[in-house]
Amino acid sequence: KAGVTQTPRYLIKTRGQQVTLSCSPISGHRSVSWYQQTPGQGLQFLFEYFSETQRNKGNFPGRFSGRQFSNSRSEMNVSTLELGDSALYLCASSSTSGAYNEQFFGPGTRLTVL
Amino acid sequence: ELKVEQNPLFLSMQEGKNYTIYCNYSTTSDRLYWYRQDPGKSLESLFVLLSNGAVKQEGRLMASLDTKARLSTLHITAAVHDLSATYFCAADGDSGYALNFGKGTSLLVTP
């Protein structure tokens, strides 16, 4: 079974621009979560989607948004980029069919904001 | 606010030695997850611990969960260089949909 895929793998943007990241979950997984990883703050939860609905959102400004499509693929968007948005953005998928929330992570998108 | 704290944050150990990484969490969730991350790579799921007293082992790694103490441990037995990586523990958030991660333990195994 193919794992979680993310595109693009690397991005370089300048301040003020916007960016869209894409994530395709493991086949059959309907929950997709996004995390930001930085050396200073570690791994922080951004948001989670299930059946095209955002069920939970982390403590990030409104510049960070996301959506999920009917095929469970998800995108996240960051508008008006700031230097501090430079990070590894990880997408994870989960089946949610069991009693726990084991999440499987994609390779990540490395975003650099100049 | 849910807190997940790991210690130590950095660990350098010799091959063949044993050591334990500790993970304390503040949520009432009884589910605890361990992940491994190699430099420049994504997170790999190692263990899912679902109940008090749960113990899981894979090779030289053994994870356990004490929900009363809100403590999980990752024990490394007879370390080898291939175990060098960063290890994260995570607990379910209040909503059950988000994972709250510790800061990670950066492990270096030296000859």
Side-chain angles (χ1 to χ4, degrees):
Chain A
K1 196 183 254 192
V4 178
T5 58
Q6 291 185 246
T7 56
R9 296 291 311 280
Y10 302 92
L11 266 178
I12 299 176
K13 293 285 187 179
T14 56
R15 280 179 296 175
Q17 287 186 309
Q18 75 165 22
V19 66
T20 299
L21 313 181
S22 181
C23 171
S24 293
I26 292 170
S27 178
H29 285 191
R30 296 169 64 190
S31 169
V32 174
S33 299
W34 289 89
Y35 294 83
Q36 181 196 65
Q37 185 176 30
T38 59
Q41 298 299 316
L43 279 153
Q44 293 185 285
F45 171 75
L46 280 157
F47 25 66
E48 187 261 357
Y49 288 88
F50 178 82
S51 292
E52 302 177 67
T53 299
Q54 185 183 89
R55 295 195 296 189
N56 198 14
K57 189 178 192 308
N59 190 24
F60 278 83
R63 300 185 297 107
F64 291 81
S65 63
R67 59 178 176 169
Q68 186 181 34
F69 301 95
S70 58
N71 62 359
S72 294
R73 192 176 68 85
S74 177
E75 289 181 346
M76 69 162 280
N77 184 277
V78 187
S79 62
T80 319
L81 283 166
E82 300 177 0
L83 294 179
D85 296 334
S86 294
L88 179 66
Y89 290 88
L90 292 163
C91 166
S93 75
S94 173
S95 70
T96 70
S97 61
Y100 54 94
N101 186 24
E102 186 179 15
Q103 297 185 8
F104 298 89
F105 285 80
T109 295
R110 173 80 58 188
L111 172 65
T112 302
V113 182
L114 302 175
Chain B
E1 182 188 333
L2 169 61
K3 291 187 190 303
V4 179
E5 294 182 350
Q6 286 182 241
N7 69 84
L9 296 182
F10 299 95
L11 177 55
S12 179
M13 56 190 297
Q14 285 185 308
E15 283 187 328
K17 299 291 187 183
N18 304 333
Y19 209 83
T20 300
I21 299 170
Y22 297 88
C23 175
N24 289 93
Y25 59 98
S26 63
T27 181
T28 55
S29 170
D30 291 339
R31 296 187 294 268
L32 200 289
Y33 308 83
W34 284 95
Y35 287 86
R36 168 181 170 147
Q37 185 176 38
D38 291 291
K41 304 288 188 181
S42 188
L43 277 76
E44 173 192 357
S45 179
L46 291 176
F47 300 109
V48 179
L49 303 169
L50 300 177
S51 60
N52 187 41
V55 177
K56 291 202 173 176
Q57 182 163 5
E58 181 72 34
R60 300 172 188 276
L61 300 177
M62 183 174 71
S64 65
L65 178 62
D66 180 345
T67 58
K68 291 186 171 67
R70 296 186 182 170
L71 170 68
S72 180
T73 60
L74 181 65
H75 186 73
I76 303 155
T77 301
V80 293
H81 179 69
D82 285 352
L83 290 179
S84 297
T86 299
Y87 294 86
F88 292 92
C89 65
D92 282 319
D94 293 333
S95 71
Y97 306 135
L99 290 181
N100 291 267
F101 285 85
K103 292 287 188 189
T105 296
S106 181
L107 171 67
L108 176 64
V109 181
T110 58

